[in-house]
Amino acid sequence: DFQLFPKQSATLTNALPIDAALGNVDYYEVVGFAHHKASAAVWYMLLNCGIRIPAGAGTDAMANYSSLRGPVGLNRVYVKAKDDFTSDHIIEQIKHGRSFVTNGALLDLKVNGSGPGETIEIADKATTLDFQAFIRSSVAVDHLEVIWNGEVVKEYQFSGDRNSADFNGKIDVQGPGWLLLRAWNDNAHPDIPDYYPYATTSPIYVTSSGKE
């Protein structure tokens, strides 16, 4: 439902794939001043090239002019906290993808006990992985999905309360790839001053006999 390749200014370039391949991209701003699903579609293409790029977020509020879409801090990055919870630690966790980004909901994903930013090694054949996920949201959520290599492979079926869910099951995969959990709404919500509610974990990577 979105135009992934709109007409662009002649001054714009296609440097992102090159920068990403050269390792010059520390993170990708999935949740920001943009259409989040369209941004994610570009991110998924880079991930499908075997380039490991964690999720980032930024409100892009112009505080000296107008917030335009939401206040400072609307789009956020959460990382795993440790005893040495310093700015250096936060940056390190973001660069390694031990994180999720959101403009509302809190969520997490574990696959075979591994979390975002970690790697799972499987045999070079069809493999079944166990996953556990959860979401807690102040607003009702329309979609909660597990993504494998850019495709929805599991979707939680809400019944009743759509503000929280504990989601688990099995996923059949073959070959290398990546997994993540995302939540999103079809439309805007008055309590989330953004295009629409959206949250995603950084990927969990799957390697197969050393292949990425």
Side-chain angles (χ1 to χ4, degrees):
D1 297 332
F2 54 84
Q3 189 177 3
L4 185 55
F5 299 105
K7 292 182 180 179
Q8 296 182 349
S9 166
T11 60
L12 296 179
T13 69
N14 295 311
L16 174 60
I18 298 171
D19 285 337
L22 293 174
N24 295 327
V25 178
D26 291 325
Y27 63 86
Y28 183 89
E29 189 174 289
V30 186
V31 180
F33 192 69
H35 190 314
H36 312 309
K37 287 186 68 182
S39 295
V42 175
W43 182 40
Y44 295 169
M45 291 179 185
L46 296 173
L47 293 171
N48 281 341
C49 290
I51 305 171
R52 297 190 176 193
I53 303 178
T59 304
D60 198 22
M62 301 176 189
N64 64 339
Y65 171 66
S66 169
S67 65
L68 296 182
R69 187 193 296 161
V72 173
L74 171 65
N75 298 326
R76 306 177 301 281
V77 182
Y78 288 87
V79 301
K80 295 291 184 182
K82 293 185 177 180
D83 293 337
D84 57 338
F85 196 62
T86 62
S87 58
D88 287 342
H89 170 72
I90 293 171
I91 292 170
E92 193 70 14
Q93 294 290 79
I94 292 173
K95 289 178 67 174
H96 285 88
R98 303 184 186 104
S99 59
F100 71 91
V101 298
T102 184
N103 60 18
L106 306 179
L107 74 175
D108 192 30
L109 174 68
K110 290 286 190 299
V111 178
N112 280 21
S114 296
E118 297 181 327
T119 301
I120 301 167
E121 171 69 22
I122 64 173
D124 193 15
K125 61 181 180 180
T127 304
T128 299
L129 303 175
D130 295 306
F131 75 89
Q132 297 83 37
F134 76 81
I135 187 170
R136 301 291 184 267
S137 177
S138 60
V139 303
V141 176
D142 293 334
H143 305 279
L144 179 63
E145 302 165 332
V146 178
I147 306 296
W148 165 253
N149 289 351
E151 302 294 332
V152 178
V153 290
K154 293 287 182 179
E155 180 167 6
Y156 185 76
Q157 301 301 312
F158 287 94
S159 60
D161 178 21
R162 304 180 73 88
N163 295 78
S164 65
D166 294 284
F167 188 20
N168 59 75
K170 297 181 181 297
I171 303 170
D172 295 323
V173 302
Q174 184 165 9
W178 52 272
L179 291 146
L180 58 78
L181 180 73
R182 75 178 184 186
W184 57 281
N185 283 26
D186 296 306
N187 300 298
H189 191 284
D191 292 341
I192 305 292
D194 202 349
Y195 199 11
Y196 50 85
Y198 192 93
T200 179
T201 67
S202 285
I204 299 171
Y205 301 100
V206 176
T207 60
S208 178
S209 301
K211 300 176 183 177
E212 295 190 8

